[in-house]
Amino acid sequence: MNGDMNATEKVILTGIDVHGIQQYLFASGKLREIVGASALVDAASTQWPREIAEQVMQLERVPEPRPGDRWYLPARMAGGSVRILFPSREKAVEFTRHLTLRMVTEAPGMHADAAHLEFNWRTETLQVALQGVVEKLTEKRHRPQFGAAFTGLPFTALCKLTGDAAARYGDDDNERISVECDRKRDNVGVANDRLRDFLGKTLQDQPKLKAWLAKAPGIQVSFPSDFSHLSPRENLRPADSYMAVLCFDGKSIGNKIRGLLNHPANGNQKAAADYRKFSEDLQRATGAALEAGAVAAVNQALEDRDAGQFLHRGECMMPLRPLVYGGDDVAVVVRADLAFEFAEKFLKEFQRATGELRHCGELTAAAGIAFVKKASPMLGAYALAEDLLKTAKAKGRGESRVDFHLSLGAARAGDLDYHRRTVLRKGDRVLTARPLTLQGLPSFIDKARAVADRLPRGQVRRGADACRESKHAAQRAHNDMCENLARGLGGRHGSERMSKDEFTKLYPGGYFSNGSQEAATDLLDI
């Protein structure tokens, strides 16, 4: 009896993290390879661990450690992160060996670190053990990596997308691709099937789209495998040369997890169960939010035009594509004019859905939106969206916020900080209202449309230039706008001119706000 008891006291917590995910996803910049890579990251942290533990190692999933060595207890498996308990170091090492071998063979180019920590299930807390594993993984990630570059032979052909040795010809003329690209492309079908099951059925059941599809037998809802497909070529408009890369992340998730793990009434068994259920609930809430954002974006696109705008080579090509959707981390590429609608509905649904899930409680989230040219390198565009996400998260922890930026050239990491510190700040004047609160986003969009459609464009540009010059110059420009609107000047063909009263409601005391020590204006955001 004592021997059995001792056998379950010491357990091994194994942590495996896929690192460099951003570099792995966007190594080539091709959308089809990005979605294939995303499917591989998801499989490596969800499907493969289960298959290895249950089918290869013949272990039984249990709610808490038990005598013997034929069990495993998963705490988290999502978003490139795995946390699993094993009865012995031998089982933990065997599991890690199988998983890393599968990564090497099925997902070349993917890198992961593993760490094992022994702790006493009965006398030590799971929270401390998890923290210890994180520290070990962090130490490994920051440790220098040594190795020799592949020099190849004089006749070795290289993959232009990754720079590695080419393994075969690709689909395009004379295209040579590496094993990494080949494996990613092999998983595009898996990613497409998963997305059709998740979003495709919901979107094709939307009334407007469903009615159009009924008139076009044989046309199926599909998702882009190339950035140009966000706006099919036969339906291009000037603005369609841009796309939006959106990144979302929940706020205070770490605090929530620490609260679950450190609850006074929780033993390790309940802490492990709560942690797992929280992760699953969070995944469901994120899925519901992603679905709501996609529906809103498609319906917004159908406001002015029918579903024929989506037609591309016999398919109804949706104007969006999720790139990453695991845990509370989400990245989506969407047609530029639909980005704000998508972001607003995503954030609202995330708050609502988490509020209804017992293990979550209402959570807020943040969004970063990078508007970039479709031909922009994806690695830089994603890095910009993540920088925007960070600024949105940092500004006000208790509410959801959105930050955005329009990149006129190639987007790069670090561009945002320089732009905000120099171009959008002049002394005591802040020339932006970003990031925006979720509550303030709809009014900002309405204001932007009103300014763009119903005010004299020349005077709006002069107002923006005056804001850059000084508060005094901005006030003169504001007064001139009021006078011209009162006199009926500045009308535009095909649109109703804004009245002076409407304008002064938008900017009551001038272009700069008076609510803080620093004067700020949103005129340059529009």
Side-chain angles (χ1 to χ4, degrees), residues 45-370:
S45 53
T46 55
Q47 175 190 344
W48 297 351
R50 283 196 301 269
E51 290 177 354
I52 290 167
E54 296 175 8
Q55 298 173 21
V56 177
M57 298 176 64
Q58 298 292 304
L59 303 181
E60 181 183 349
R61 176 171 170 165
V62 296
E64 69 170 330
R66 70 183 188 189
D69 65 350
R70 309 304 301 173
W71 58 266
Y72 81 105
L73 195 165
R76 173 179 167 81
M77 294 192 299
S81 177
V82 177
R83 302 290 184 267
I84 301 184
L85 290 160
F86 290 102
S88 66
R89 183 171 292 273
E90 289 74 22
K91 292 297 180 186
V93 171
E94 181 185 354
F95 170 83
T96 304
R97 186 173 63 249
H98 284 301
L99 182 57
T100 52
L101 178 61
R102 191 159 183 178
M103 287 181 182
V104 169
T105 55
E106 297 190 30
M110 182 185 294
H111 300 288
D113 286 320
H116 308 292
L117 182 71
E118 183 182 77
F119 77 105
N120 191 305
W121 177 260
R122 299 190 183 281
T123 62
E124 299 175 84
T125 66
L126 179 62
Q127 180 188 16
V128 172
L130 286 166
Q131 184 178 343
V133 163
V134 169
E135 289 172 357
K136 283 191 168 191
L137 289 169
T138 302
E139 181 185 351
K140 284 192 172 186
R141 188 173 298 120
H142 293 158
R143 189 178 300 162
Q145 300 292 320
F146 300 99
F150 176 80
T151 56
L153 298 170
F155 49 82
T156 299
L158 298 181
C159 170
K160 291 183 178 180
L161 300 174
T162 64
D164 296 327
R168 70 170 182 85
Y169 284 100
D171 302 327
D172 300 333
D173 290 341
N174 207 31
E175 181 189 32
R176 298 175 176 89
I177 60 173
S178 63
V179 175
E180 178 180 336
C181 291
D182 188 32
R183 292 294 185 272
K184 289 176 180 177
R185 293 186 186 187
D186 283 346
N187 279 270
V188 171
V190 175
N192 286 340
D193 290 344
R194 178 189 176 203
L195 193 54
R196 273 192 289 267
D197 289 342
F198 171 42
L199 278 183
K201 294 176 182 178
T202 300
L203 292 175
Q204 70 186 19
D205 284 339
Q206 295 305 301
K208 289 185 180 180
L209 188 56
K210 186 175 183 179
W212 186 85
L213 288 170
K215 301 175 185 176
I219 301 295
Q220 298 294 319
V221 165
S222 188
F223 293 88
S225 57
D226 190 276
F227 293 117
S228 64
H229 297 166
L230 292 168
S231 303
R233 195 168 299 280
E234 56 267 33
N235 294 297
L236 282 180
R237 301 166 299 175
D240 289 334
S241 60
Y242 276 87
M243 64 181 181
V245 181
L246 293 80
C247 287
F248 299 91
D249 195 15
K251 289 187 172 186
S252 302
I253 302 296
N255 291 337
K256 186 73 176 180
I257 291 173
R258 281 189 290 272
L260 287 172
L261 296 174
N262 201 31
H263 194 281
N266 284 4
N268 280 339
Q269 181 181 356
K270 189 171 190 318
D274 285 350
Y275 182 34
R276 184 172 59 252
K277 289 174 182 175
F278 172 77
S279 298
E280 292 168 353
D281 279 357
L282 190 61
Q283 184 93 20
R284 280 193 285 271
T286 301
L290 185 54
E291 190 175 81
V295 168
V298 168
N299 286 335
Q300 177 66 29
L302 295 174
E303 283 292 320
D304 301 321
R305 304 163 68 189
D306 68 24
Q309 67 183 291
F310 302 146
L311 192 61
H312 178 73
R313 295 183 181 178
E315 293 181 300
C316 188
M317 194 71 66
M318 294 294 93
L320 56 98
R321 176 94 202 203
L323 305 178
V324 177
Y325 48 111
D328 61 316
D329 293 320
V330 173
V332 182
V333 61
V334 65
R335 206 173 79 187
D337 60 317
L338 307 175
F340 285 126
E341 190 72 22
F342 189 106
E344 181 189 357
K345 292 300 185 292
F346 181 100
L347 294 173
K348 283 184 176 178
E349 180 62 19
F350 184 79
Q351 288 188 196
R352 187 204 66 77
T354 53
E356 290 187 355
L357 294 169
R358 185 168 65 88
H359 287 88
C360 285
E362 183 173 311
L363 295 170
T364 57
I369 309 175

Side-chain angles (χ1 to χ4, degrees), residues 406-420:
L406 172 64
S407 180
L408 300 177
R412 294 171 299 181
D415 285 353
L416 180 66
D417 182 60
Y418 174 80
H419 187 78
R420 292 280 168 91

